[in-house]
Amino acid sequence: MCGIIGAVSYRNIVPDIVRGMRMMEYRGYDSSGIAVINSDGDLARTRCAGRVEKLSNKLKNGSLLSGTIAIGHTRWATHGLATDNNAHPLVIDGQHAIVCNGIIENYEELKQSHIRDGKVYESETDTEVILHELSPLLADGMSMIEGVQETAKVLTGSFAFAILSITEPHKMVIAKRGSPLLIGLGEQEIFVASDAITLSKFANSIVVMENGDIAEISDASITKMIDEFGNSVDRRGEAVLVRPETVTLGPYSHYMQKEIFEQSSAVSNTLENRISNDELLEEEAFGAQATKIFDKVEAVRILACGTSYHAGMVAKLWLESFGIPCEAEIASEFRYRKPVVPQNALVVALSQSGETADTLAALEQAKRLGFKHSLAICNSPLSSLTRITDLIFHTRAGPEISVASTKAFTTQIASLLLLMIALARRKNLSHEQEKSVITELRALPARIDAVLQMEKRIQRLAGNFVDKEHTLFLGRGTHYPIALEGALKLKEISYIHADAYPAGELKHGPLALIDSKMPTIAVAPNNHLLAKLKANIQEVRARGGRLFVFSDSGTPIAGDDLIEVIEMVQSGPFTSPVLHTIALQLLAYHVAIIKGTDVDNPRNLAKSVTVE
């Protein structure tokens, strides 16, 4: 990982390569670099550990690069430390350069073979094996695309890469297997990048590469593209769906803050033309075959990672309440299991990026196991995930730049509610119940705005956590996953250790942690589990623990010297998880601001996790 950018143009393309790398900073990285073939036909490179700003300063301070063909990379270290020497692009013999995402799983075997043949490795990365495989093929007279095709045959793993070589100085060759790589068609120039957000700045349309594709780019066009079997293919370009202005900060201090405040409009966009005053509209919003497939569905299996998994946990409880068997599974665990396959089960893959390696692999495993039908709920309509499922539901959240996911989660929740309606209609969901859920959804954007108006109150609350090293989150029912999500946000961006538990589990271990130094956050909607949760709150209070209780308006929970109650807007049972989540997002954000951490790019994390 993490971000590839490249271009073939009629002009000096280096400034735009740097600009593209800045647009990919949100993905997370720890080093960066650029390689060009200059006007003399020589390969030149500048790279460094650290931010793109540092690379940009190096380019200004004597290490100038210029060329009409270039590749760049922001690297998130997997094999080898984040050092100058391991930064991409990698170059061997001064002739061949590569930028690569993903992991070459058989690199140790290949590397040892190369070393026995007398080849010298200059980095600790797995990527370097690609160049050592390729270089002798080019020396024997193979073209770049032929050499890459032969090289790809010996590589195992998931990867995407772009290569320059002075043997064909006006060409770039790119390859994709697993990791995302897109081609952007501009005016008399062509770009490649890991995501559509980056290409939106430069391209009019996008060509989506399929797994196994290898392409040759020259003269600002795709001069040749072959699939995994070596057959020539012509992938049709699609219009750019992302406007560059949507990825600017505007009046906000951080992208996370911006994206928290975009949640009202994101949910509105998700629901637009999909619901009426009292019912779900056409089920074809899930795909042309949705009605036919939904008629057959007898069980649901949700596969996801991180924040998306928490959304899936909520949906599991909703579906079960209407008699639909459902399991929500962490994709990285499911992919190595052999579960019992329910008859006529629908696999639902949740992902913000649509490129999460574990979710993609888990979905493929589900298909191999015999799960018959699949649905992607995703924010990226050009992603790998949306190309391998029977049905697709686009969440319409818009670009999410901050590593910590916010609006992707809330739009997933809204999308899953629509899925629940579609499936539960076929069970025991009455028209009046459907109307009640739709009424909640229609009111949700306004209620989100009401929660956002609590920011000043939550900002003051954040000061209670700055000197703390640990925090406990509690919830029950559909709000236990919200407690998990709140804990994840706090640990992601403030680096405070946070754990979440079902409140009923307190007596089975976590209560031993409670003291005056460890605050507890309780998610307390006014529902049938409130009495049980109030008893759990008192268990913490009785041990001298300080509690911060996020409750619905009018909930009968009294504050005192150890219990601070943060009263939320009144909501219904299906949309309450969204509102409580947003309050906890604001809390994590303001704790991180006070602590001075890198809110949008927290240490050690990447936005799109395209490796296992």
Side-chain angles (χ1 to χ4, degrees):
M1 298 199 302
C2 202
I4 291 171
I5 177 77
V8 178
S9 181
Y10 61 92
R11 60 191 172 89
N12 178 24
I13 203 64
V14 171
D16 276 347
I17 295 293
V18 174
R19 192 172 297 117
M21 292 168 71
R22 290 188 188 280
M23 293 183 71
M24 291 190 295
E25 286 187 293
Y26 79 96
R27 297 171 66 91
Y29 70 105
D30 41 46
S31 63
S32 59
I34 297 176
V36 303
I37 295 179
N38 60 31
S39 58
D40 295 326
D42 297 325
L43 190 59
R45 171 185 62 175
T46 298
R47 57 181 180 157
C48 63
R51 296 294 187 190
V52 172
E53 183 65 28
K54 182 178 177 182
L55 177 72
S56 180
N57 289 335
K58 288 187 72 172
L59 291 170
K60 292 175 184 176
N61 297 329
S63 299
L64 296 178
L65 295 181
S66 178
T68 59
I69 181 168
I71 53 176
H73 194 256
T74 54
R75 177 179 182 256
W76 187 83
T78 54
H79 295 71
L81 300 175
T83 62
D84 289 4
N85 202 53
N86 290 327
H88 292 201
L90 301 179
V91 173
I92 65 168
D93 304 326
Q95 295 186 334
H96 320 297
I98 187 171
V99 292
C100 180
N101 286 342
I103 290 179
I104 310 303
E105 294 177 355
N106 61 334
Y107 87 99
E108 290 182 331
E109 171 191 337
L110 294 173
K111 182 175 180 178
Q112 291 306 313
S113 173
H114 297 157
I115 290 173
R116 286 194 296 270
D117 290 341
K119 295 177 181 176
V120 177
Y121 272 70
E122 298 181 358
S123 76
E124 302 172 284
T125 71
D126 55 333
T127 296
E128 192 173 344
V129 302
I130 301 173
L131 289 184
H132 285 293
E133 281 291 320
L134 177 63
S135 61
L137 301 178
L138 300 184
D140 288 342
M142 274 194 187
S143 68
M144 285 176 64
I145 192 167
E146 291 171 338
V148 168
Q149 183 181 10
E150 290 303 308
T151 297
K153 292 177 182 178
V154 303
L155 304 177
T156 60
S158 175
F159 53 80
F161 59 77
I163 288 178
L164 300 182
S165 174
I166 63 172
T167 60
E168 295 182 72
H170 302 296
K171 293 180 180 179
M172 177 190 303
V173 173
I174 59 177
K176 168 192 162 62
R177 185 195 297 166
S179 293
L181 195 60
L182 306 171
I183 303 172
L185 307 176
E187 297 294 335
Q188 296 183 314
E189 56 190 2
I190 193 164
F191 287 80
V192 300
S194 296
D195 61 39
I197 292 175
T198 304
L199 290 177
S200 68
K201 185 72 174 178
F202 312 108
N204 301 320
S205 63
I206 289 175
V207 174
V208 181
M209 298 181 70
E210 302 289 349
N211 274 337
D213 281 356
I214 299 171
E216 175 188 273
I217 298 169
S218 179
D219 299 322
S221 64
I222 303 171
T223 51
K224 188 174 185 181
M225 183 179 285
I226 57 176
D227 63 17
E228 61 181 319
F229 305 109
N231 301 315
S232 294
V233 290
D234 182 12
R235 307 293 185 201
R236 187 175 60 180
E238 303 181 48
V240 174
L241 302 176
V242 180
R243 300 189 310 275
E245 60 269 22
T246 63
V247 295
T248 58
L249 266 177
Y252 298 97
S253 300
H254 299 87
Y255 281 106
M256 183 177 182
Q257 184 187 34
K258 176 177 184 277
E259 288 152 14
I260 289 173
F261 275 82
E262 286 176 339
Q263 288 178 103
S264 173
S265 60
V267 168
S268 293
N269 291 338
T270 300
L271 300 176
E272 185 178 4
N273 297 325
R274 290 167 169 173
I275 61 172
S276 68
N277 287 338
D278 59 0
E279 66 180 356
L280 172 69
L281 294 175
E282 297 297 326
E283 292 178 349
E284 279 68 25
F286 291 92
Q289 299 297 312
T291 297
K292 181 180 179 181
I293 289 175
F294 289 168
D295 284 344
K296 300 176 183 177
V297 171
E298 297 180 27
V300 176
R301 188 68 53 96
I302 298 173
L303 305 177
C305 300
T307 286
S308 297
Y309 170 64
H310 298 155
M313 291 177 70
V314 177
K316 163 188 160 64
L317 299 178
W318 287 336
L319 289 165
E320 285 182 342
S321 70
F322 288 100
I324 302 169
C326 180
E327 294 295 333
E329 306 230 24
I330 296 173
S332 59
E333 290 295 309
F334 177 86
R335 62 185 290 192
Y336 297 112
R337 291 175 45 223
K338 292 185 179 179
V340 175
V341 180
Q343 187 171 1
N344 294 320
L346 174 68
V347 176
V348 180
L350 294 181
S351 174
Q352 183 274 328
S353 68
E355 302 293 352
T356 307
D358 285 319
T359 303
L360 290 167
L363 178 58
E364 295 289 4
Q365 170 71 349
K367 291 180 178 180
R368 287 192 293 270
L369 290 170
F371 285 85
K372 291 184 177 180
H373 312 295
S374 58
L375 163 67
I377 295 179
C378 182
N379 190 40
S380 302
L382 298 182
S383 64
S384 299
L385 182 64
T386 61
R387 310 182 86 78
I388 60 173
T389 53
D390 304 317
L391 305 175
I392 303 164
F393 191 91
H394 181 208
T395 59
R396 301 176 181 165
E400 192 177 68
I401 305 301
S402 177
V403 167
S405 182
T406 51
K407 61 180 179 174
F409 175 83
T410 51
T411 54
Q412 284 176 351
I413 289 287
S415 303
L416 288 163
L417 263 177
L418 299 183
L419 176 64
M420 180 205 77
I421 292 171
L423 296 178
R425 279 173 167 177
R426 292 161 166 81
K427 297 295 182 179
N428 56 4
L429 178 73
S430 69
H431 179 70
E432 286 305 310
Q433 288 174 314
E434 179 172 342
K435 182 178 179 180
S436 177
V437 178
I438 294 297
T439 299
E440 276 194 58
L441 281 170
R442 290 176 60 232
L444 183 56
R447 287 172 173 168
I448 290 173
D449 286 335
V451 174
L452 294 173
Q453 290 173 17
M454 298 172 58
E455 184 181 26
K456 294 295 184 185
R457 167 80 190 278
I458 294 173
Q459 186 176 12
R460 291 192 294 271
L461 188 72
N464 293 283
F465 295 84
V466 173
D467 62 342
K468 301 299 188 293
E469 296 182 358
H470 312 279
T471 301
L472 183 67
F473 286 72
L474 300 176
R476 300 194 78 131
T478 54
H479 290 67
Y480 164 53
I482 304 312
L484 284 168
E485 178 61 12
L488 177 60
K489 287 292 158 285
L490 188 65
K491 72 180 75 169
E492 275 183 308
I493 63 171
S494 76
Y495 313 149
I496 293 173
H497 170 241
D499 277 332
Y501 287 90
E505 284 293 292
L506 265 177
K507 297 181 289 293
H508 300 284
L511 205 56
L513 299 172
I514 299 300
D515 60 22
S516 60
K517 297 178 182 179
M518 184 171 183
T520 298
I521 293 173
V523 186
N526 192 4
N527 61 19
H528 68 288
L529 290 170
L530 180 61
K532 299 291 186 184
L533 182 63
K534 288 172 69 175
N536 302 137
I537 289 170
Q538 290 302 319
E539 291 169 356
V540 174
R541 186 187 183 282
R543 275 83 181 168
R546 180 80 189 278
L547 288 121
F548 300 89
V549 182
F550 288 81
S551 69
D552 290 345
S553 177
T555 302
I557 297 179
D560 57 27
D561 58 330
L562 288 177
I563 300 175
E564 181 168 349
V565 179
I566 301 92
E567 193 171 278
M568 307 273 294
V569 62
Q570 185 64 44
S571 65
F574 291 101
T575 55
S576 175
V578 170
L579 304 180
H580 282 274
T581 296
I582 292 171
L584 297 179
Q585 290 170 354
L586 285 170
L587 178 62
Y589 172 75
H590 283 291
V591 172
I593 291 297
I594 298 171
K595 288 177 68 68
T597 61
D598 190 341
V599 173
D600 286 334
N601 297 285
R603 66 190 183 198
N604 304 332
L605 299 180
K607 180 65 174 174
S608 184
V609 185
T610 58
V611 298
E612 182 179 356

